């Protein structure tokens, strides 16, 4: 644009003049265009866990800030949303102070109950326009693969899953979600699927 000079270094854009030229989208996965950061805290008398979910990010950074002496509150990782095994357990991670876990935003995950102390984490959601426009990112937004087996109970979501109550009891204060789930979508259920009633 005439009268405007735009310099882009990494993910920072500096503009001189009155008109901003947006940064060009690069190769998928090579850079982030924006991020959103926040802190979460878990205590037995407050938020004791986090339901299974996916993030509104392409990549998530999860940094354990403290406090020393907490127990439980492990990070539970399941499959990539939309794949036939998205409700199957992959790994559980025990947080360590000062360590960062990096994962894809579309991987289902959650936190089990904290049993002692207080845990605080810095969460950074990163977004890439180039990745979101790519074939790999849009594939699972179009359809869900049919599940080939019932879900692992560790990977069930009381907020999202239509069969949560078939496998688990709702946590105290969460019964309002019963019957409001959407996952798996019709046509993607495992054989002999039974929704909760």
């Amino acid at each position: 644009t005439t009268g405007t000079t735009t310099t882009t270094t990494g993910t920072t854009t500096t503009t001189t003049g009155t008109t901003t030229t947006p940064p060009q989208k690069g190769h998928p996965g090579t850079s982030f265009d924006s991020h959103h950061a926040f802190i979460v805290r878990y205590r037995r008398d407050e938020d004791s866990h986090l339901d299974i979910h996916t993030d509104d990010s392409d990549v998530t950074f999860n940094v354990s800030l403290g406090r020393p002496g907490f127990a439980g509150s492990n990070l539970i990782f399941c499959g990539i949303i939309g794949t036939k095994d998205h409700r199957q357990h992959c790994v559980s991670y025990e947080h360590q102070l000062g360590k960062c876990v990096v994962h894809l935003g579309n991987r289902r995950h959650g936190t089990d109950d904290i049993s002692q102390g207080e845990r605080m984490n810095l969460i950074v959601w990163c977004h890439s326009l180039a990745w979101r426009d790519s074939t790999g990112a849009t594939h699972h937004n179009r359809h869900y693969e049919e599940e080939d087996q019932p879900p692992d109970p560790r990977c069930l979501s009381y907020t999202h899953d239509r069969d949560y109550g078939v496998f688990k009891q709702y946590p105290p204060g969460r019964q309002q979600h019963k019957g409001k789930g959407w996952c798996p979508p019709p046509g993607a259920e495992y054989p002999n699927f039974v929704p909760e009633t």
Side-chain angles (χ1 to χ4, degrees), residues 3-185:
T4 301
T5 302
T6 302
T7 305
T8 302
T9 306
T11 58
T12 303
T13 300
T14 305
T15 303
T16 305
T18 56
T19 306
T20 301
T21 303
Q24 296 297 310
K25 292 184 285 187
H27 187 274
T30 60
S31 64
F32 298 123
D33 304 297
S34 65
H35 70 273
H36 171 67
F38 56 98
I39 291 178
V40 295
R41 180 172 75 174
Y42 299 98
R43 292 169 38 143
R44 290 181 65 188
D45 60 345
E46 294 181 354
D47 291 328
S48 62
H49 69 281
L50 183 60
D51 189 32
I52 296 292
H53 65 285
T54 57
D55 293 340
D56 182 22
S57 71
D58 299 311
V59 175
T60 295
F61 292 82
N62 185 334
V63 185
S64 180
L65 302 177
R67 306 184 183 265
F70 70 84
S73 195
N74 293 324
L75 196 55
I76 301 166
F77 286 109
C78 307
I80 299 293
I81 193 73
T83 61
K84 67 179 182 178
D85 62 352
H86 74 278
R87 299 198 300 162
Q88 300 302 318
H89 181 257
C90 293
V91 67
S92 293
Y93 175 79
E94 185 176 334
H95 282 284
Q96 300 175 46
L97 294 181
K99 302 285 185 177
C100 177
V101 178
V102 181
H103 65 86
L104 296 175
N106 63 354
R107 179 171 293 282
R108 275 177 66 120
H109 62 284
T111 303
D112 62 13
D113 285 319
I114 191 166
S115 58
Q116 175 182 311
E118 175 180 301
R119 175 167 76 79
M120 296 179 66
N121 284 56
L122 170 66
I123 310 296
V124 183
W125 287 350
C126 300
H127 307 97
S128 168
L129 293 176
W131 168 246
R132 290 191 173 200
D133 286 346
S134 73
T135 303
T138 58
H139 174 71
H140 292 301
N141 292 334
R142 291 194 295 268
H143 75 279
Y144 272 65
E145 296 174 357
E146 183 178 340
E147 296 179 321
D148 58 7
Q149 60 183 313
D152 185 310
R154 292 171 289 186
C155 293
L156 282 167
S157 166
Y158 55 75
T159 308
H160 305 295
D161 292 344
R162 295 192 291 140
D163 54 354
Y164 184 91
V166 174
F167 297 96
K168 297 176 77 170
Q169 291 187 347
Y170 278 81
R174 307 297 182 181
Q175 291 84 357
Q176 74 272 19
H177 296 289
K178 186 174 182 179
K180 297 180 180 177
W182 59 268
C183 186

